[in-house]
């Protein structure tokens, strides 16, 4: 149990470093308080549009990057096309949720992480990332799936 909290803490620290963004001098740029205050609304928007419970979603944001993690065993074991369609639906919900909110105007990339949740039993596996899809802001203002 303690290892689970440690793993979650380390994962949160790693994500915050990745999402923090960097200024030209290399110093991290802290996200604004308004951006952080807007995250529950983004989570609710995704939950409403996709049917996922808010407990299965985690939304994090930095200066230019927004990341959504979805814990769903069925989606994690689905084929690539199904996961991509789910990610596109999630990004569409995010776009709708942030389009009129100025605190999100600096977001240039959205990533959707599909998380395979921990399974119970004696041989319990820790949750792990099954897939991550990136969407970058196009000149039109829409986020487009970016394949690397």
């Amino acid at each position: 149990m303690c290892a689970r909290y440690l793993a979650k803490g380390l994962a949160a620290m790693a994500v915050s470093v990745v999402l923090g963004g960097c200024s030209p001098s290399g110093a991290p740029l802290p996200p604004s308080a308004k951006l952080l205050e807007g995250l529950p609304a983004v989570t609710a928007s995704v939950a409403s549009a996709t049917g996922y419970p808010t407990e299965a979603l985690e939304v994090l944001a930095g200066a230019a990057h927004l990341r959504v993690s979805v814990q769903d065993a069925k989606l994690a074991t689905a084929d690539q096309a199904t996961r991509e369609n789910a990610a596109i639906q999630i990004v569409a919900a995010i776009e709708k949720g942030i389009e009129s909110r100025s605190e999100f105007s600096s977001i240039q990339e959205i990533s959707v992480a599909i998380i395979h949740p921990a399974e119970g039993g004696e041989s319990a596996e820790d949750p792990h990332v099954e897939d991550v899809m990136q969407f970058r802001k196009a000149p039109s203002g829409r986020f487009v799936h970016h394949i690397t």
Side-chain angles (χ1 to χ4, degrees), residues 31 38 44 53 58 64 74 80 93 100 108 125 137 143:
E58 180 180 41
K74 185 176 177 182
Q80 183 67 29
S100 63
Q108 297 298 309
E125 287 186 35
K137 196 173 206 175
F143 288 87

Side-chain angles (χ1 to χ4, degrees), residues 120-134:
E122 283 186 28
S123 62
E125 287 186 35
D126 287 334
H128 61 275
V129 176
E130 194 67 39
D131 201 356
V132 178
M133 283 149 277
Q134 295 181 330

